[in-house]
Amino acid sequence: MPLPTVAIIGRPNVGKSTLFNRLVGKRLALVDDQPGVTRDRREGDATLLGMDFRIVDTAGFEDKEVATLPGRMRVQTEAAVEDADVALFMVDARAGVVPLDEEIARWLRGTDTPIVLVANKAEGRAGESGVIEAMALGFGEPVQLSAEHGEGIVELFEALRPLIERDEDEVEEEDPDAPDAPLKLAIVGRPNAGKSTLINRILGQDRLITGPEAGITRDSIAIDWTWNGPDGPRPVRLIDTAGMRKKARVQEKLEKLSVMDALRAVDFAEVVVLMIDATRGLEVQDLKIADRALQEGRALVVALNKWDVAENASSLFNGIKAALDEGLSQAKGVPVLTVSGATGKGIDVLLKVAFETREAWSRRVSTGQLNRWFERAIEANPPPAPGGKRIKPRYMTQVNTRPPAFVLFGTRVDLLPESYRRYLVNGLRKEFDFGAVPVRLSLRAPKNPFDHSKD
């Protein structure tokens, strides 16, 4: 049974993301002094004094037209409250109740979601008058806390417990290595490549804010979803990320934080989809993003978005594929697919390939199979003898998966040239169908007890 959901709402800069980070136990949401940092709904698994629930951070509620960016942010906040089991309505005790707080309160009184009023920044005497003002909002006495310093957590627990507590046996533990575990799929790319639009199309709803403005997405947003593929329902955790521009162009502190957050999302993903705007073609920045994913050991898929409006499609596809093979020599043959976030074309193929890629990324080869291939590979192409010294490879074993990692043992194998290592890695890919996922190969030579050159 899924965890109960708690949404944090309030006007901008009252401390919602700070409380979110405290409850999830890590700095997942971006926090800054300027208002409006959070734009999309951000979710995380929270624990409060042993009570587990799903916490949702929302954008600051603003009274703006839906056509504007703040208006589209408000629509997301309203949807979060509607989907939640409980909403934490947060006000700033030091600033006191302002007209926007009163407007939010009027809206919340018309919803069916249970509301817990929270007066943040209530430490010390500076927040006393604000706490008293908050009582007039119509939700009873507020829970007084300091999200930054962790004060009032017990009181928050006592307010939430009767509204969300469930039998712990009803909540199932998730094994991330199980074959039916959610596919952690991160969508990355340059700004305005269409990442959020594609995810909205996949979900069949406007879950993420989109628009012509570049850089709308700031936080990395994880969304759990089920894909009804040809083999039945398959769980997916979609991760939308901020657009990553060239490092020299990233000047603002907030954008730097957003890019760092996107890079962390890559680290936590299993499969990374690099989205390229087909109307703009491949750029050096795309190769840098792809290389980062491969260096971190993630499985990579390239999606050419906006394919429905691309010109000279055939030559464009072949040119991008050739440039990727040349620029990503460590993983030639990365899957390149065409999609359209606007029409939904190619989405099922993208998800099918992503699952197949994760399967290859998680594959384990038995030692017997591995060494039978290894003997044939050595016989077909014996290693060189640099300086007249013969290299004697003995055997190979797989030491890890996700990504696949192998160790080659033998005499003087540390002298193998890079070209021979590539020969072995490429042979592993072909023989055991690893495709273009990262494959690690380490070399282990026994130490010569009579060699005192390094003593």
Side-chain angles (χ1 to χ4, degrees), residues 43-63:
E43 302 182 14
D45 291 328
T47 299
L48 181 59
L49 302 180
M51 181 172 64
D52 297 326
F53 52 95
R54 192 82 174 152
I55 191 76
V56 182
D57 186 23
T58 65
F61 192 98
E62 296 187 62
D63 183 20

Side-chain angles (χ1 to χ4, degrees), residues 310-373:
E311 298 179 359
N312 301 317
S314 179
S315 60
L316 175 67
F317 182 88
N318 292 331
I320 289 178
K321 195 160 183 19
L324 285 168
D325 281 346
E326 183 179 346
L328 303 175
S329 57
Q330 74 273 43
K332 286 188 176 181
V334 167
V336 180
L337 309 172
T338 59
V339 298
S340 170
T343 67
K345 179 183 180 297
I347 286 177
D348 281 334
V349 174
L350 173 63
L351 290 164
K352 178 176 179 291
V353 170
F355 272 102
E356 291 172 349
T357 302
R358 182 180 71 166
E359 184 182 344
W361 185 67
S362 308
R363 183 168 296 134
R364 182 173 289 280
V365 182
S366 71
T367 302
Q369 278 183 298
L370 183 61
N371 282 285
R372 283 192 291 273
W373 163 81

